[in-house]
CSV table of all heavy atoms in Angstrom, one decimal:
chain,number,residue,atom,x,y,z
V,56,ILE,N,40.9,100.2,28.7
V,56,ILE,CA,41.0,101.5,29.4
V,56,ILE,C,39.7,102.3,29.1
V,56,ILE,O,39.3,102.3,27.9
V,56,ILE,CB,42.1,102.3,28.8
V,56,ILE,CG1,43.5,101.7,29.0
V,56,ILE,CG2,42.2,103.8,29.4
V,56,ILE,CD1,44.6,102.4,28.4
V,57,PHE,N,39.0,102.7,30.1
V,57,PHE,CA,37.6,103.3,30.0
V,57,PHE,C,37.8,104.7,29.4
V,57,PHE,O,38.7,105.5,29.7
V,57,PHE,CB,37.0,103.3,31.4
V,57,PHE,CG,35.7,103.9,31.3
V,57,PHE,CD1,34.6,103.0,30.8
V,57,PHE,CD2,35.3,105.1,31.8
V,57,PHE,CE1,33.4,103.6,30.8
V,57,PHE,CE2,34.1,105.7,31.7
V,57,PHE,CZ,33.0,104.9,31.3
V,58,GLY,N,36.8,105.0,28.6
V,58,GLY,CA,36.7,106.3,28.2
V,58,GLY,C,37.5,106.8,26.9
V,58,GLY,O,37.5,107.9,26.5
V,59,LEU,N,38.2,105.8,26.3
V,59,LEU,CA,39.0,106.2,25.2
V,59,LEU,C,38.1,106.2,23.8
V,59,LEU,O,38.7,106.3,22.7
V,59,LEU,CB,40.1,105.3,25.0
V,59,LEU,CG,41.2,105.6,25.9
V,59,LEU,CD1,42.5,104.8,25.7
V,59,LEU,CD2,41.7,107.1,25.9
V,60,ASN,N,36.8,105.8,23.9
V,60,ASN,CA,36.2,105.7,22.7
V,60,ASN,C,34.9,106.5,22.6
V,60,ASN,O,33.8,106.1,22.2
V,60,ASN,CB,35.8,104.3,22.2
V,60,ASN,CG,35.0,103.6,23.3
V,60,ASN,OD1,34.7,104.1,24.4
V,60,ASN,ND2,34.4,102.5,22.9
V,61,ARG,N,35.0,107.8,23.2
V,61,ARG,CA,33.9,108.8,23.2
V,61,ARG,C,33.9,109.6,22.1
V,61,ARG,O,35.0,110.1,21.6
V,61,ARG,CB,33.8,109.4,24.5
V,61,ARG,CG,33.1,108.6,25.7
V,61,ARG,CD,32.7,109.6,26.6
V,61,ARG,NE,33.9,110.4,27.2
V,61,ARG,CZ,34.2,110.3,28.5
V,61,ARG,NH1,33.7,109.5,29.3
V,61,ARG,NH2,35.3,111.0,28.9
V,62,ILE,N,32.8,110.0,21.6
V,62,ILE,CA,32.7,111.1,20.5
V,62,ILE,C,31.7,112.2,21.1
V,62,ILE,O,30.6,111.8,21.5
V,62,ILE,CB,32.2,110.6,19.2
V,62,ILE,CG1,33.0,109.5,18.7
V,62,ILE,CG2,32.0,111.7,18.2
V,62,ILE,CD1,32.7,108.8,17.4
V,63,CYS,N,32.1,113.5,21.0
V,63,CYS,CA,31.2,114.5,21.4
V,63,CYS,C,31.5,115.8,20.9
V,63,CYS,O,32.7,116.0,20.4
V,63,CYS,CB,31.0,114.6,23.0
V,63,CYS,SG,32.7,115.2,23.7
V,64,LEU,N,30.4,116.8,21.0
V,64,LEU,CA,30.8,118.1,20.6
V,64,LEU,C,30.8,118.9,22.0
V,64,LEU,O,29.8,118.8,22.8
V,64,LEU,CB,29.6,118.6,19.8
V,64,LEU,CG,29.5,120.1,19.4
V,64,LEU,CD1,30.7,120.2,18.4
V,64,LEU,CD2,28.2,120.5,18.7
V,65,ASN,N,32.0,119.4,22.4
V,65,ASN,CA,32.2,120.0,23.6
V,65,ASN,C,31.8,121.5,23.7
V,65,ASN,O,31.3,122.0,22.8
V,65,ASN,CB,33.6,119.8,24.2
V,65,ASN,CG,34.6,120.6,23.4
V,65,ASN,OD1,34.2,121.7,22.7
V,65,ASN,ND2,35.9,120.2,23.4
V,66,GLU,N,31.8,122.0,24.9
V,66,GLU,CA,31.3,123.4,25.3
V,66,GLU,C,32.0,124.4,24.4
V,66,GLU,O,31.6,125.4,23.9
V,66,GLU,CB,31.4,123.8,26.7
V,66,GLU,CG,30.4,123.1,27.5
V,66,GLU,CD,30.9,122.2,28.5
V,66,GLU,OE1,32.0,122.6,29.3
V,66,GLU,OE2,30.6,121.1,28.6
V,67,ALA,N,33.3,124.1,24.0
V,67,ALA,CA,34.1,125.0,23.2
V,67,ALA,C,33.8,124.9,21.8
V,67,ALA,O,34.4,125.4,20.9
V,67,ALA,CB,35.5,124.8,23.4
V,68,ASN,N,32.7,124.1,21.4
V,68,ASN,CA,32.3,123.8,20.1
V,68,ASN,C,33.4,123.1,19.4
V,68,ASN,O,33.6,123.3,18.0
V,68,ASN,CB,31.9,125.2,19.2
V,68,ASN,CG,30.9,124.9,18.1
V,68,ASN,OD1,30.2,123.9,18.2
V,68,ASN,ND2,31.1,125.7,17.0
V,69,ASP,N,34.2,122.3,20.0
V,69,ASP,CA,35.1,121.5,19.3
V,69,ASP,C,34.5,120.0,19.4
V,69,ASP,O,33.8,119.5,20.3
V,69,ASP,CB,36.4,121.4,20.2
V,69,ASP,CG,37.3,122.5,20.0
V,69,ASP,OD1,37.0,123.3,18.9
V,69,ASP,OD2,38.2,122.8,20.8
V,70,ILE,N,34.9,119.3,18.3
V,70,ILE,CA,34.4,117.8,18.3
V,70,ILE,C,35.7,117.0,18.8
V,70,ILE,O,36.8,117.3,18.5
V,70,ILE,CB,34.1,117.5,16.9
V,70,ILE,CG1,32.8,118.2,16.5
V,70,ILE,CG2,34.0,115.9,16.8
V,70,ILE,CD1,32.3,117.9,15.1
V,71,GLU,N,35.2,116.2,19.8
V,71,GLU,CA,36.3,115.3,20.4
V,71,GLU,C,36.0,113.9,19.9
V,71,GLU,O,34.9,113.3,20.0
V,71,GLU,CB,36.3,115.4,21.8
V,71,GLU,CG,36.5,116.7,22.5
V,71,GLU,CD,36.5,116.8,24.0
V,71,GLU,OE1,36.3,115.5,24.6
V,71,GLU,OE2,36.7,117.8,24.5
V,72,ILE,N,37.1,113.2,19.5
V,72,ILE,CA,36.9,111.8,19.1
V,72,ILE,C,38.0,111.0,19.8
V,72,ILE,O,39.3,111.3,19.8
V,72,ILE,CB,37.1,111.6,17.6
V,72,ILE,CG1,36.1,112.4,16.7
V,72,ILE,CG2,37.1,110.0,17.3
V,72,ILE,CD1,36.3,112.3,15.2
V,73,GLY,N,37.5,110.0,20.6
V,73,GLY,CA,38.5,109.2,21.4
V,73,GLY,C,39.4,108.4,20.5
V,73,GLY,O,38.9,107.9,19.4
V,74,ALA,N,40.7,108.2,20.8
V,74,ALA,CA,41.5,107.5,19.9
V,74,ALA,C,41.2,106.0,19.7
V,74,ALA,O,41.5,105.4,18.6
V,74,ALA,CB,43.0,107.5,20.4
Side-chain angles (χ1 to χ4, degrees):
Chain V
I56 302 173
F57 181 76
L59 284 183
N60 64 346
R61 272 200 305 244
I62 298 178
C63 68
L64 180 64
N65 68 19
E66 282 116 58
N68 204 31
D69 280 345
I70 289 177
E71 295 182 4
I72 301 178

